[in-house]
Amino acid sequence: MKRVIELARITVKQAIKERSFYVILIATLLAVLAVPVLYSFTMFEVPRVLAGFALSYTNFAVLILMLFLVMNLSQTDLDRKTLQYVISLPIRRRDYVFGRFLGFVFFACILIFFILAITVPFVALFSRMRPDAPFYIGYYFLYGVFLLIEVALLVAIALLFLSLTSRTIVSMFGVAGCYIVGHTMDEVAEFLRTGTGMNMPVFSKAVIQVVRYIFPNLALFDVKTAFIYGKGMDGMSLFLSLLYGVLYTVIVLLLAVVLFEKKEVY
Amino acid sequence: MKSKGGRLLIVLILVLLMIGVNYFFDKPQVRLKGREEAERFRLYANPSFEKWSGFEFTFLKAFYYTLGLRVYMGKLSEEYLAPPPFAKDPIVRTAEVVTRLCPYYYDIYYIANGYLTWDYGDVETANRLLEKGLEYTPERWIYYLYLGFNHFYFLKDYEKGAMYLVEASEVSGKPQYAHLASKLLYASGRTEVAIGILKGMIENTRDEGWKRGLETRLKALEGIYELEKAVEVFRERFGTLPQNLEELKNAGIIKGIPEDPYGGEFYIDEEGNVRTTSNLTYMD
């Protein structure tokens, strides 16, 4: 465990060294500047539009940054032969995967709540200037937890692909593919229940069902609209979504560990 | 040029060049020509595909598309006094896509309802959209108010209109709408009810442009209502309908003929109803 934590610490340090924090800071400042602009463009329900924008920005910024960070650090590990060095050390390979994972997730956690904390005063301030809809500050931060679980799941998938292949570009496309499928399968399942969907060939329906049960259902973590409009999912469904995310992440991570144990590192 | 200052100068020059290129090419002649105005508006995919391709960002997409529609209609309003017929399709398509992307987003219902009813007479589509909005946000009493108004004023379905007004009153806790509904049920004059509903709409509108439009409409309806009351007084006093508005003035019932803010002229038709040559839209 000590080694895992040490590796996690190194990962966070490396992430900070990548200057990603500065990029996020500048991007977040620009996003904050966009708040008054959006305010003037909005006809009704200003607090909802501003909260929607801030949460979407957080979502987008963290996803993009984490994807590049995971891929970049993995590429660096390969280029500088760090991976070979780490593996030659008396630590278990699984510690490397767990350590990297914990480091990335911890860094993502800092990023998410850092962005939310920076944006919330501006959203709250401009919402107060035209309070024609409620602003749920509790939901605002609760969304951070859902985003964190989604990012953790995607990081685990990225590590899984990196265990499978040494080409980061392949891993990158793999993660992007999982992201796209993960966010659309819920809609596709909905479509299958409609009249047109019912008439689809049985084979196509079977393929869709299989794909649906293999890929993660990322739509469960897209609770922005529900939170903005206070269209509360009840406590139980929130809890079950989070539990689903944690379980799926653990399984993918274990799969990554198993594959990484067998990975040939040149 | 390898010094720090030299590099900074090059960066500065390049940034200025970027701005310059943007400035130079920001001309109408750079835009594509020869396209019909209706085509100038964006093309949408199937609403379901628009939702799929939005991933986690459907709310932002809904906001962006609605803003696009507002800009489009704003540009058209610079060229045309009233929204042109070809703009109806972009409004309906945007409303369908946006309500699929985020069915809670209020602005699109407001915009679509405003244009489709008053400018295009497509009350059925407007009502269908409002009903969809109610499916997702049944607590939004303003949708009931719009539905009530549409049924009452445009479709002349007073009973259904009254039913929606009662719903609006119950959901909002504002008794004035129930009061209006009861008046409607007893058919005590639809112009008066229309005035009441418009006042409610103005109260709930924050956008200054929309507010001005509603106030103009309110002013016109108030003029009509004043004349309708005067016609009734004339009929009671003389046992016949006035032939024109001058008669009301000569009889001392009104001091002057109100102005139609849309540029038309009020008149009395053969059945004694007060009408306007503008038909409540701006005249060319």
Side-chain angles (χ1 to χ4, degrees):
Chain A
M1 194 61 192
K2 219 174 162 187
R3 282 171 186 149
V4 173
I5 292 172
E6 185 56 26
L7 265 165
R9 203 180 59 82
I10 292 168
T11 306
V12 174
K13 259 185 155 179
Q14 280 180 312
I16 293 169
K17 260 191 181 172
E18 289 281 318
R19 295 189 180 183
S20 44
F21 228 89
Y22 298 111
V23 175
I24 280 294
L25 188 67
I26 291 167
T28 305
L29 288 177
L30 287 175
V32 160
L33 283 179
V35 169
V37 178
L38 270 181
Y39 173 85
S40 55
F41 276 133
T42 307
M43 282 177 82
F44 300 99
E45 302 194 327
V46 173
R48 283 177 175 150
V49 172
L50 297 185
F53 166 72
L55 294 183
S56 301
Y57 162 73
T58 311
N59 187 342
F60 183 75
V62 173
L63 276 184
I64 291 287
L65 190 80
M66 287 310 295
L67 180 68
F68 280 99
L69 203 61
V70 173
M71 296 304 161
N72 206 19
L73 288 186
S74 308
Q75 188 66 49
T76 312
D77 275 357
L78 288 170
D79 291 348
R80 294 190 188 160
K81 309 276 182 198
T82 325
L83 197 56
Q84 288 89 326
Y85 173 69
V86 169
I87 283 165
S88 67
L89 291 173
I91 60 165
R92 288 173 300 188
R93 283 187 175 202
R94 77 181 73 154
D95 291 346
Y96 174 80
V97 178
F98 286 137
R100 277 294 198 208
F101 174 78
L102 279 184
F104 284 133
V105 171
F106 184 69
F107 185 69
C109 182
I110 298 171
L111 269 186
I112 291 168
F113 288 98
F114 172 75
I115 298 175
L116 291 178
I118 286 190
T119 49
V120 76
F122 294 91
V123 174
L125 176 76
F126 281 92
S127 295
R128 248 186 217 184
M129 285 165 72
R130 234 207 272 168
D132 54 356
F135 170 54
Y136 306 101
I137 195 160
Y139 280 147
Y140 193 81
F141 282 99
L142 184 60
Y143 172 71
V145 179
F146 279 80
L147 180 57
L148 183 64
I149 295 290
E150 184 182 1
V151 170
L153 206 160
L154 289 170
V155 168
I157 290 173
L159 291 173
L160 174 69
F161 275 104
L162 290 166
S163 304
L164 281 168
T165 171
S166 296
R167 295 193 179 277
T168 43
I169 190 80
V170 176
S171 305
M172 207 159 170
F173 278 111
V175 177
C178 285
Y179 176 82
I180 292 168
V181 175
H183 270 293
T184 49
M185 285 321 285
D186 226 27
E187 277 288 315
V188 175
E190 194 66 38
F191 172 73
L192 283 184
R193 282 191 278 274
T194 63
T196 326
M198 294 266 203
N199 294 328
M200 271 179 83
V202 181
F203 178 74
S204 308
K205 279 202 265 189
V207 169
I208 289 171
Q209 285 297 351
V210 170
V211 171
R212 211 178 140 218
Y213 286 121
I214 291 175
F215 285 87
N217 183 3
L218 297 177
L220 286 179
F221 312 115
D222 182 19
V223 288
K224 278 190 295 293
T225 311
F227 282 0
I228 295 163
Y229 285 89
K231 288 275 163 199
M233 300 144 72
D234 61 301
M236 183 49 93
S237 60
L238 289 177
F239 171 74
L240 288 176
S241 299
L242 291 176
L243 183 68
Y244 165 81
V246 171
L247 284 177
Y248 200 99
T249 306
V250 169
I251 295 166
V252 174
L253 200 60
L254 289 176
L255 200 59
V257 167
V258 172
L259 292 169
F260 194 70
E261 296 276 4
K262 300 283 171 202
K263 186 180 170 77
E264 286 184 26
V265 180
Y266 302 104
Chain B
M1 271 304 189
K2 276 183 183 173
S3 68
K4 225 176 179 182
R7 210 173 301 154
L8 195 72
L9 190 68
I10 292 174
V11 170
L12 200 70
I13 290 169
L14 287 173
V15 169
L16 284 175
L17 273 174
M18 258 162 59
I19 297 168
V21 168
N22 267 333
Y23 177 77
F24 183 75
F25 283 91
D26 185 25
K27 305 256 181 324
Q29 52 266 46
V30 181
R31 307 269 183 272
L32 284 174
K33 287 175 197 164
R35 287 198 295 165
E36 289 298 315
E37 293 187 74
E39 289 174 25
R40 271 197 226 154
F41 197 66
R42 82 176 78 253
L43 289 171
Y44 292 115
N46 172 292
S48 289
F49 183 78
E50 289 282 355
K51 171 127 190 187
W52 293 0
S53 57
F55 304 122
E56 298 180 82
F57 306 99
T58 47
F59 179 79
L60 267 195
K61 215 171 163 183
F63 176 79
Y64 176 68
Y65 283 171
T66 308
L67 187 62
L69 179 68
R70 281 174 63 197
V71 171
Y72 176 70
M73 296 308 289
K75 272 186 192 164
L76 290 181
S77 73
E78 287 168 9
E79 293 174 47
Y80 302 88
L81 273 171
F86 63 74
K88 186 192 161 189
D89 190 43
I91 294 169
V92 175
R93 278 188 292 128
T94 307
E96 275 166 2
V97 169
V98 171
T99 55
R100 181 82 177 87
L101 287 169
C102 182
Y104 307 109
Y105 189 43
Y106 174 63
D107 291 22
I108 193 65
Y109 295 101
Y110 183 84
I111 294 169
N113 183 60
Y115 281 119
L116 291 176
T117 52
W118 288 105
D119 298 299
Y120 297 107
D122 188 357
V123 186
E124 281 77 14
T125 307
N127 286 354
R128 182 170 52 76
L129 287 166
L130 290 170
E131 294 280 3
K132 186 178 178 182
L134 277 175
E135 256 180 61
Y136 290 89
T137 44
E139 72 281 5
R140 276 220 179 110
W141 58 268
I142 198 90
Y143 292 161
Y144 287 113
L145 186 66
Y146 294 156
L147 279 163
F149 181 77
N150 291 351
H151 277 90
F152 164 69
Y153 193 77
F154 296 110
L155 300 176
K156 316 277 185 257
D157 185 345
Y158 303 136
E159 275 191 27
K160 216 166 177 190
M163 188 192 82
Y164 279 119
L165 288 183
V166 170
E167 287 278 358
S169 175
E170 281 177 5
V171 178
S172 67
K174 295 186 176 187
Q176 62 263 40
Y177 299 124
H179 180 65
L180 278 173
S182 66
K183 278 194 169 185
L184 178 58
L185 279 172
Y186 289 104
S188 62
R190 65 191 176 96
T191 310
E192 188 186 358
V193 183
I195 287 170
I197 292 171
L198 275 177
K199 280 181 178 167
M201 286 176 170
I202 290 167
E203 214 177 277
N204 285 289
T205 302
R206 298 203 186 273
D207 185 283
E208 286 306 314
W210 285 87
K211 199 177 235 176
R212 275 198 296 277
L214 290 173
E215 279 167 351
T216 307
R217 191 150 282 146
L218 176 67
K219 197 179 167 197
L221 287 181
E222 281 175 339
I224 290 172
Y225 185 54
E226 187 192 328
L227 293 172
E228 278 176 352
K229 282 194 292 185
V231 169
E232 194 51 33
V233 171
F234 187 96
R235 196 182 61 79
E236 278 173 15
R237 197 179 290 174
F238 302 105
T240 177
L241 288 168
Q243 295 296 309
N244 51 49
L245 296 173
E246 284 300 318
E247 279 188 52
L248 295 174
K249 205 171 151 188
N250 295 338
I253 301 170
I254 53 169
K255 284 181 186 162
I257 299 166
E259 260 184 41
D260 177 0
Y262 290 103
E265 277 180 24
F266 293 123
Y267 66 94
I268 299 171
D269 71 8
E270 288 164 359
E271 289 165 7
N273 299 312
V274 178
R275 305 275 182 222
T276 167
T277 51
S278 71
N279 205 18
L280 297 182
T281 50
Y282 282 107
M283 299 181 79
D284 291 326

